[in-house]
Amino acid sequence: MAEPAIVDALVSLGFNLNDARAYHALLKHGASTGYEVAQRAAIPRSAVYSALRKLVDEGAARAIQGTP
């Protein structure tokens, strides 16, 4: 799978591949559930929640509580 240029750029800045893919999916599609991010970013569901948690912890994304 060829990665979009933004994913490659994020990896070169220190993001790991799953974090970069998740961030790209959020940038492209806006607010999404973990399941949606996993599907759009081709990340296993078992790994997407840790990637999203890391993005939130680092201030790159926000968690929104509530029913999707």
Side-chain angles (χ1 to χ4, degrees), residues 2 5 7 9 11 26 34-35 37 43 45-46 52-53 62 64 66:
V7 172
V11 169
L26 290 170
Y35 176 81
V37 172
I43 301 171
R45 280 192 305 166
S46 61
L52 291 172
R53 193 174 311 108
R62 286 185 299 143
I64 301 171

Side-chain angles (χ1 to χ4, degrees), residues 33-54:
T33 64
Y35 176 81
E36 291 168 334
V37 172
Q39 293 297 307
R40 293 171 179 160
I43 301 171
R45 280 192 305 166
S46 61
V48 74
Y49 294 101
S50 65
L52 291 172
R53 193 174 311 108
K54 185 175 176 185

